[in-house]
């Protein structure tokens, strides 16, 4: 079986649609309608280059548009009366049309058929693989859940052939004489061979002119020799000399092995196809997660139930308690807890409120939600997962090159071995020599079919990538799956990877006669209107402690220092030591010396903000990015496996050292510019290390692409996800261990499969050729060879299916 082609073997249709562009109303950048960040205002959808622009727009859409930012063209009557209603409906219809066009374009690129053993073979229509002869399978994950027509056809042929082959075998074994018996065998065998085995002969004949000999070449040749020889003997018995006759003077007939071989090969195909169908269970399970309909809110406020395909970005959807989230989007109204275990693997539902993200196919809890659709159709996370799993299953691991190189010369070598076996038996074998020679040649051809060799790698890849996806680990291709096990250095970004990526209020230290609640209320009231991430952390921290923020008056931002204003009639300021110097407030005045306490907080990686009220220091707040739960345990487990861990961050040495000490990394690289992260990875590689990089931000993308294996947190940016070879869906650090262990288990499984295939052929061919006959008077019959050939393929696929349970234990 030859598979040396590097590109597509057959032409396939490509559909490339140029997505229409829009203008970000905040910054003026040109973005496509495929941009994930979008918002709807007055019935029109606006697209943004990033989440920051979208958030600013949603704060006051009217002010942003009035400020002079580019606004998408709209009819003059858009904002008034019935014309406004008409314009909104037209715009929604256009959005749905654009979405349908996008879906059709994506489908056009994914439609087609490919070979399960040779993913480089692509076709616009069903057919047989020109390399191995197997029936092509749909490339589209959606189509993979449909009934397999090849399995149905092979099953039908098997049962009919079995019903006809049994009488042939019985007649051959029965000690009954009669001139009608050979003719009955011939008739029954003809139906089995010419109809049951027709698919094998068609694929064998197709392989000859292309010189791409495969397993069906050997099957077709072996069956044709046994069946054709028997027909000639039956029709012209007088043509054969005494050399080929037995002691009774009769010439042997081999209808029995011909019928048995076809039936057993059909059985092997049925078992193999059923096993292969099980490898797609992960994709089918993912597809079944998505709901089929959604409850869309009309412009007049009423609800209408629509097919999921009719939902467009910007639509408002109602999600009732216990229903699945229809598409990706954000909460507009309501509070609930959503079960996101299908994405994160975490069984605890996640609290959701206005502004929070929702992932399609996750399960809503007891609360009712109104959401805005943002990503629909092929743009949803679920569709992205299905697409990645399907592509990874079709990709080829580097270890496959071993099987390919052997397969390229395997079939010609087997034919040569059959010729040698035939010649040896014909020249020096026992009488009758020709029948023995024929049996040996046919047995060699049948037992050496290279199906097991070809299936060894792709079956393991298909099972492993599907099971990994169910465990929250997406492999982009088989190469990442293979290389990850060889990694000896794990470079890990800090923010969003080791840490939560979202500042939180960690410490509240009051002094000067004020209590913690008063201190925090004054700070939160002052920060309430600020867009700074640390300000949001202070406000959230106060709310989490049951402290309601008041209204700040005359709040003034002081660049690089902090801000000041009035809260509850008091003059309040919050900022760093530069602000204290500017206000003339000492940080270390005795007995309220806060300098030591501030230094202690900084040593743990916290950012310190001093709070001043009425001209005196009343306390400080410590803010930081909390370390993800279980991060230290993951780092310890990686070190126990001999993996060197390196913390790579652009943050300060003090903060990096605090995080590094807490999780126990081997090495810290701090204050690294985004452009230099890839250079750091390259330096480690130049030292002879196999490097994996784990990160989540846009600034991590070059390093993710440069590493031997890039690992993206599923909570990160799209750029990071596209640059990585592995994605951890929940952003769960434990996924690093799962991914590495799945990689190890998969390559071990592939090596076992290749060992089975090679050893099977190394032992089977000599046995079929008759190596045991001189010592034990034993000769392998073609029927036994066919059964052994089928068993070898089924054993390889069965061993690959074990990965479903191995991966589950990681």
């Amino acid at each position: 079986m030859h598979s040396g082609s590097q590109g597509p073997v057959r032409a396939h249709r490509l559909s490339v649609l140029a997505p229409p562009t829009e203008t970000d109303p905040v910054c003026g950048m040109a973005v496509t309608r495929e941009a994930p960040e979008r918002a709807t205002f007055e019935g029109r959808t606006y697209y943004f280059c990033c989440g920051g622009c979208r958030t600013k727009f949603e704060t006051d859409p009217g002010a942003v548009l009035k400020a002079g930012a580019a606004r998408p063209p709209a009819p003059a009557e858009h904002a008034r009366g019935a014309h406004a209603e008409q314009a909104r409906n037209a715009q929604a219809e256009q959005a749905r049309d654009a979405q349908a066009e996008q879906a059709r374009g994506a489908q056009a690129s994914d439609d087609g058929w490919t070979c399960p053993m040779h993913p480089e073979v692509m076709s616009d229509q069903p057919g047989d693989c020109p390399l191995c002869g197997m029936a092509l399978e749909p490339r589209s994950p959606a189509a993979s859940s449909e009934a397999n027509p090849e399995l149905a056809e092979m099953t039908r042929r098997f049962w009919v052939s079995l019903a006809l082959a049994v009488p042939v075998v019985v007649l051959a074994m029965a000690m009954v004489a009669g001139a009608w018996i050979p003719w009955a065998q011939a008739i029954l065998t003809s139906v089995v061979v010419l109809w049951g085995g027709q698919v094998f002969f068609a694929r064998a004949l197709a392989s000859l002119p292309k010189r791409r000999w495969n397993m069906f070449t050997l099957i077709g040749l072996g069956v044709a020799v046994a069946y054709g020889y028997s027909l000639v003997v039956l029709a012209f018995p007088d043509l054969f000399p005494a050399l080929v006759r037995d002691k009774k003077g009769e010439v042997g007939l081999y209808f029995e092995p011909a019928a048995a071989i076809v039936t057993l090969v059909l059985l092997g195909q049925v078992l193999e196809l059923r096993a292969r169908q099980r490898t797609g269970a992960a994709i089918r399970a993912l597809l079944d997660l998505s709901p089929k309909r959604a409850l869309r809110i009309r412009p007049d406020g009423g609800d209408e139930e629509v097919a999921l395909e009719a939902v467009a970005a910007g639509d408002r959807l109602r999600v009732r308690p216990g229903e699945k989230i229809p598409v990706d989007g954000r909460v507009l109204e309501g509070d609930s807890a959503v079960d996101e275990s299908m994405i994160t693997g975490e069984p605890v539902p996640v609290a959701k409120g206005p502004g929070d993200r929702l992932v399609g196919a996750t399960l809503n809890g007891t609360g009712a939600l109104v959401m805005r659709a943002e990503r629909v159709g092929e743009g949803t996370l679920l569709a992205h997962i299905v697409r990645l799993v399907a592509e990874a299953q079709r990709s080829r691991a580097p270890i496959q090159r071993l099987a390919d190189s052997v397969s390229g010369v395997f079939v010609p070598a087997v034919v040569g071995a059959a010729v040698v076996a035939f010649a040896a038996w014909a020249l020096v074998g026992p009488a009758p020599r020709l029948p023995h020679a024929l049996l040996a040649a046919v047995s060699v051809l049948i037992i050496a079919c290279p199906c097991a060799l070809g299936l060894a790698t792709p079956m393991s890849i298909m099972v492993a990538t599907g099971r990994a996806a169910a465990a929250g680990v997406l492999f982009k291709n088989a190469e990442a799956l293979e290389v990850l096990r060889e990694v000896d250095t794990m470079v890990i970004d800090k923010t969003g990877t080791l840490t939560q990526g979202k500042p939180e209020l960690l410490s509240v230290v009051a002094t000067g006669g004020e209590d913690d609640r008063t201190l925090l209320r004054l700070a939160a009231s002052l920060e309430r209107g600020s867009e700074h991430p640390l300000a949001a952390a202070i406000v959230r921290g106060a709310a989490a402690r049951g402290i309601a923020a008041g209204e700040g008056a005359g709040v003034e931002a002081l660049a690089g220092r902090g801000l000041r204003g009035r809260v509850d009639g008091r003059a309040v300021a919050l900022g760093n030591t530069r602000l204290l110097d500017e206000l003339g407030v000492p940080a270390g005045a005795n007995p309220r010396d806060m300098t030591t306490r501030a230094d202690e907080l900084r040593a743990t990686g916290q950012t310190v903000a001093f709070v001043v009220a009425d001209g005196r220091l009343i306390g400080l707040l410590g803010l930081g990015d909390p370390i993800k739960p279980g991060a230290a345990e993951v780092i310890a487990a990686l070190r126990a496996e001999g993996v060197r861990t390196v913390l790579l961050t652009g943050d300060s040495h003090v903060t990096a050292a605090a995080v590094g000490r807490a999780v126990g990394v081997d090495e810290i690289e701090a204050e690294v510019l985004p452009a230099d992260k890839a250079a750091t990875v390259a330096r480690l590689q130049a030292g002879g290390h196999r490097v994996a990089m784990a990160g989540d931000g846009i600034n991590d993308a070059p390093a993710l692409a440069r590493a031997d294996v890039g690992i993206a947190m599923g909570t990160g940016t799209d750029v990071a996800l596209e640059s990585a070879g592995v994605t951890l869906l929940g952003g769960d650090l434990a996924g690093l261990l799962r991914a590495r262990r799945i990689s190890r288990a998969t390559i071990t499984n592939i090596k076992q499969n290749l060992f089975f295939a090679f050893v099977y052929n190394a032992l089977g061919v000599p046995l079929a050729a008759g190596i045991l006959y001189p010592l034990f008077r034993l000769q392998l019959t073609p029927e036994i060879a066919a059964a052994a050939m089928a068993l070898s393929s089924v054993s390889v696929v069965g061993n690959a299916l074990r990965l479903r349970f191995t991966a589950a234990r990681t």
Side-chain angles (χ1 to χ4, degrees), residues 158-235:
F158 164 70
W159 286 113
V160 174
S161 298
L162 178 64
L164 299 177
V166 169
V168 174
V169 175
V170 171
L171 289 174
M173 298 175 61
M175 298 298 183
V176 180
W180 62 273
I181 292 180
W183 289 101
Q185 288 181 306
I187 293 171
L188 296 175
T189 302
S190 295
V191 177
V192 174
V193 171
L194 300 180
W195 179 79
Q198 181 269 336
V199 62
F200 304 148
F201 287 113
R203 294 173 180 178
L205 290 173
S207 71
L208 296 178
K210 300 173 184 178
R211 292 189 177 182
R212 297 186 183 276
W213 296 357
N214 51 54
M215 61 173 287
F216 297 104
T217 310
L218 300 181
I219 294 171
L221 184 58
V223 173
V225 168
Y227 174 69
Y229 172 80
S230 299
L231 283 181
V232 174
V233 170
L234 181 63

Side-chain angles (χ1 to χ4, degrees), residues 351-366:
K352 299 289 183 180
D356 289 336
R357 286 187 179 275
L358 295 172
V359 177
T362 55
L363 184 63
N364 185 28
T366 57

Side-chain angles (χ1 to χ4, degrees), residues 465-489:
T465 51
R467 183 61 190 84
V473 179
L474 286 184
F475 287 97
K476 193 172 187 178
N477 51 50
E479 183 175 2
L481 178 63
E482 178 175 343
V483 173
L484 185 58
R485 60 183 274 275
E486 303 171 357
V487 165
D488 60 16
T489 302

